[in-house]
Amino acid sequence: MVIDFSASWCGPCKFMEPVLNGMAAKFTEVQFVKLDVDELPDVAQEFGVQGMPTFVLLKKGKEVDRVVGAQKNDLEKKIEKHRDLVAAT
């Protein structure tokens, strides 16, 4: 699972939205979830989110990796690296 912590006012988050849609189409075995930090601040705090966008990769409810910022290449590499792990969530 990939959790996208973003905000409606965040420019880099808007930039990443079509990128994430493309990754969701490419990595169909991985679940992508988008969370607005303004709507769910407790969840963002629980994951220690300090900047947006933050992408947290989970396996069985535990974090296996994360990317902070609109780093599409880094995110895709980490999803590729962990795809078997992430898909097993």
Side-chain angles (χ1 to χ4, degrees), residues 3-10 13-14 33-45 49 52 54:
I3 304 175
D4 170 15
F5 289 94
S6 61
S8 60
W9 47 263
C10 170
C13 300
K14 291 178 183 178
V33 177
K34 183 176 182 174
L35 292 177
D36 188 313
V37 297
D38 292 327
E39 293 178 16
L40 297 168
D42 293 344
V43 177
Q45 184 177 5
V49 174
M52 272 93 50
T54 293

Side-chain angles (χ1 to χ4, degrees), residues 12-25:
C13 300
K14 291 178 183 178
F15 166 78
M16 288 297 290
E17 192 168 336
V19 172
L20 280 175
N21 290 339
M23 288 184 193

Side-chain angles (χ1 to χ4, degrees), residues 51-64:
M52 272 93 50
T54 293
F55 305 96
V56 177
L57 285 72
L58 300 176
K59 177 190 175 193
K60 296 181 181 177
K62 295 186 180 180
E63 183 175 337
V64 293

Side-chain angles (χ1 to χ4, degrees), residues 1-5 30-33 46-49 53-69 71-87 89:
M1 175 183 290
V2 177
I3 304 175
D4 170 15
F5 289 94
V30 178
Q31 183 179 9
F32 288 78
V33 177
E46 181 180 330
F47 280 91
V49 174
T54 293
F55 305 96
V56 177
L57 285 72
L58 300 176
K59 177 190 175 193
K60 296 181 181 177
K62 295 186 180 180
E63 183 175 337
V64 293
D65 221 329
R66 79 169 44 204
V67 176
V68 179
Q71 307 295 326
K72 63 181 182 177
N73 293 334
D74 289 345
L75 179 60
E76 187 163 10
K77 286 177 187 173
K78 288 185 179 189
I79 292 171
E80 188 74 52
K81 175 183 173 186
H82 296 289
R83 75 190 296 178
D84 293 334
L85 298 175
V86 175
T89 303

